[in-house]
């Protein structure tokens, strides 16, 4: 609860900062000049498009209001990925809390149960309902252009949260995380930690998230890039679908195939790590800061951080699920006819116990790690 408030305040000031500094673009400035220019051009085009969608939507809304049809509530449709993880539960709760009737919204929520076809159907049902705004957390990053064109034709602004859409820019705004940076952070931390502990050779097993989700693609890419940089060996990478069961199954098979050959396990979310720990317990393999295997996780939900505190997970890389307050800001900006930033990145932290807090940089930028204490766990989601 406390964290919610802090995040909402942070959200407010972050959006304000982004609006003032145009920070949505400055992120791109960190990459090479050519892609940044291309991206900037794309962003300008998309913003122009977004503005015309906003205009059209405004006209529709004005007509509805004149007809006494608005009922005072803003209709929002949310096509959620599913319910596969603690992270997802926190994301859903955040949206339901923010888009409540008390706050002036009527929320149509669809849990797409990790089924991409069902998610497209959900979006089409929102178009049929003629909602005012559509929020999509895309299960996979491709296959979106047709349905987004349909949203555009219906003059319904689309706000994408969390995972990205990579094959269409027909959405008004995206609010989410830099998954590649998360993967790189895990890799750079591992190098610094291994150096501190005198671990000279890294033999890693990766349990990845849902294949084709941008969260999976980014974390895999980021970690692989650092593995290549330092010569870590990645023995295998198989999907655990971001679930505890999936993590356990993959780890059971890894324990058989790679017995005695690995010293690092990277789980792309906490729930997979919970499953992997069960499998390693059953196989008699020790892990965590005092064990034989360095265990890395992503998300840093409450239960994940409890396992860091319990010396089971060695380091946990946060992915912040509380995007809804940012989305509300975007909707309020659109309501006023303003143009929101096309991209907003969530603020995230890297967590460990003191002995695993080491200095490292990502793309030349020094990172700060957060010690897991009871107060930190209490404030998490
Ligand atoms: O890491 C995982 C969830 O898309 C970032 O999806 C999200 C991921 C998150 O199921 O726990």
């Amino acid at each position: 609860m406390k964290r919610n408030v802090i995040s909402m305040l942070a959200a407010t000031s972050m959006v304000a900062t982004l609006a003032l500094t145009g920070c949505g673009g400055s992120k791109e400035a960190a990459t090479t000049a050519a892609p940044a220019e291309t991206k900037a051009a794309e962003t300008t085009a998309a913003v122009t498009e977004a503005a015309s969608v906003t205009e059209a939507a405004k006209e529709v809304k004005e007509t509805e209001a004149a007809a006494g049809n608005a009922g005072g509530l803003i209709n929002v449709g949310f096509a959620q990925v599913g319910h596969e993880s603690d992270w997802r539960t926190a994301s859903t709760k955040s949206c339901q809390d923010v888009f409540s009737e008390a706050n002036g919204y009527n929320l149509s929520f669809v849990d797409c149960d990790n089924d991409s076809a069902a998610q497209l159907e959900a979006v089409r049902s929102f178009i049929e309902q003629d909602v005012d705004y559509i929020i999509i957390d895309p299960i996979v990053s491709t296959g979106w252009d047709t349905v987004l064109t349909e949203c555009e034709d219906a003059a319904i602004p689309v706000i994408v949260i969390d995972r990205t859409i990579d094959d269409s820019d027909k959405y008004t705004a995206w609010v989410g995380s830099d998954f590649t940076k998360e993967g790189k952070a895990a890799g750079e931390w591992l190098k610094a930690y291994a150096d501190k502990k005198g671990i000279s050779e890294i033999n890693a097993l990766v349990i990845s998230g849902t294949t084709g989700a941008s969260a999976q693609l980014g974390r895999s890419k980021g970690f692989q890039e650092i593995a290549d940089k330092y010569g870590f060996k990645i023995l295998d990478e198989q999907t655990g679908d971001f679930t505890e069961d999936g993590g356990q199954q993959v780890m059971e098979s890894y324990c058989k195939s790679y017995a005695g050959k690995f010293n690092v396990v990277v789980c792309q979310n906490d729930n997979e790590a919970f499953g992997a720990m069960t499998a390693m317990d059953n196989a008699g393999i020790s892990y965590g800061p005092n064990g034989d295997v360095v265990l890395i996780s992503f998300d840093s939900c409450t239960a994940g951080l409890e396992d860091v505190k319990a010396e089971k997970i060695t380091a946990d890389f946060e992915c912040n699920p509380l995007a809804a307050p940012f989305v509300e800001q975007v909707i309020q900006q659109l309501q006023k006819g303003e143009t929101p930033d096309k991209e907003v990145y969530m603020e995230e932290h890297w967590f460990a116990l003191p002995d695993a807090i080491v200095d490292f940089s990502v793309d030349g930028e020094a990172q700060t790690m957060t010690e897991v204490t009871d107060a930190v766990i209490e404030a998490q989601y």
Side-chain angles (χ1 to χ4, degrees):
M1 213 58 220
K2 198 167 131 219
R3 172 69 188 213
N4 253 329
V5 174
I6 291 168
S7 292
M8 284 177 73
L9 290 175
T12 311
S13 63
M14 190 175 176
V15 169
T17 312
L18 289 171
L20 284 172
T21 60
C23 199
S26 81
K27 162 111 203 112
E28 298 304 331
T31 62
T32 55
E37 272 162 27
T38 319
K39 187 76 185 184
E42 281 168 12
T43 306
T44 312
V47 163
T48 316
E49 242 168 41
S52 65
V53 171
T54 312
E55 272 316 302
K58 230 175 78 189
E59 273 170 36
V60 171
K61 233 163 266 150
E62 276 162 13
T63 317
E64 280 177 0
N69 187 27
L73 296 178
I74 298 172
N75 293 307
V76 175
F78 176 26
Q80 173 65 294
V81 168
H83 50 273
E84 71 286 355
S85 63
D86 288 25
W87 190 101
R88 192 60 55 199
T89 305
S91 158
T92 294
K93 185 177 181 306
S94 167
C95 267
Q96 288 171 339
D97 287 350
V98 169
F99 296 108
S100 64
E101 281 201 24
N103 288 342
Y105 296 92
N106 175 33
L107 178 66
S108 300
F109 175 82
V110 178
D111 174 335
C112 301
D113 201 15
N114 224 22
D115 176 341
S116 298
Q119 193 166 40
L120 293 178
E121 229 172 82
V123 173
R124 292 196 166 104
S125 79
F126 296 148
I127 297 174
E128 246 165 66
Q129 287 170 48
D130 195 23
V131 298
D132 299 308
Y133 298 95
I134 294 176
I135 306 172
I136 301 173
D137 188 330
I139 296 169
V140 291
S141 65
T142 53
W144 285 101
D145 201 53
T146 306
V147 77
L148 291 190
T149 305
E150 290 164 29
C151 294
E152 195 177 70
D153 291 347
I156 303 174
V158 171
I159 300 149
V160 180
I161 64 166
D162 169 31
R163 303 179 184 176
T164 54
I165 284 177
D166 296 338
D167 63 352
S168 176
D169 63 1
K170 293 183 181 126
Y171 55 88
T172 302
W174 166 83
V175 179
S177 305
D178 186 340
F179 303 114
T180 306
K181 181 177 176 188
E182 292 172 2
K184 285 183 188 178
E188 293 285 5
W189 168 83
L190 178 58
K191 169 68 176 152
Y193 180 72
D195 285 351
K196 175 178 175 179
K197 293 287 164 187
I199 301 169
S200 55
E201 211 182 291
I202 301 290
N203 290 298
L205 287 167
V206 177
I207 303 179
S208 56
T210 302
T211 306
S214 71
Q216 176 272 315
L217 295 167
R219 288 172 190 162
S220 292
K221 179 172 171 257
F223 187 75
Q224 180 72 55
E225 196 178 309
I226 306 306
D228 292 344
K229 178 172 162 189
Y230 297 120
F232 304 162
K233 210 165 181 188
I234 298 183
L235 301 171
D236 209 340
E237 171 162 343
Q238 286 177 30
T239 182
D241 253 330
F242 283 134
T243 65
E244 181 164 349
D245 274 2
Q248 184 173 340
Q249 276 170 32
V250 173
M251 197 64 225
E252 276 166 359
S253 105
Y254 281 167
C255 286
K256 287 185 196 129
S257 316
Y258 299 99
K261 295 186 179 136
F262 61 95
N263 59 356
V264 174
V265 171
V266 180
C267 296
Q268 286 187 351
N269 80 345
D270 286 338
N271 295 79
E272 289 181 341
F274 305 150
M277 287 190 270
T278 306
M280 287 193 277
D281 287 341
N282 292 341
I285 295 168
S286 66
Y287 49 85
N290 307 312
D292 291 334
V293 172
V294 176
L295 182 56
I296 294 174
S297 183
F298 293 86
D299 280 0
S300 308
C301 289
T302 307
L305 292 191
E306 278 168 355
D307 281 342
V308 175
K309 182 94 197 307
E311 303 187 309
K312 292 174 168 182
I313 293 174
T314 323
D316 206 339
F317 295 81
E318 184 181 35
C319 184
N320 188 338
L322 308 180
F326 291 88
V327 178
E328 209 214 348
Q329 297 250 355
V330 169
I331 289 178
Q332 290 305 328
Q333 281 178 294
L334 292 171
Q335 287 289 104
K336 289 185 217 138
E338 294 167 8
T339 305
D341 286 302
K342 180 85 177 176
E343 292 181 343
V344 174
Y345 284 87
M346 302 292 288
E347 194 191 329
E348 306 185 308
H349 301 88
W350 321 135
F351 294 99
L353 288 177
D355 189 46
I357 292 186
V358 287
D359 291 333
F360 67 96
S361 297
V362 173
D363 294 330
E365 192 190 317
Q367 304 292 300
T368 310
M369 292 190 76
T370 304
E371 179 187 344
V372 176
T373 61
D374 288 335
V376 165
I377 294 172
E378 169 77 13
Q380 204 68 344
Y381 20 78

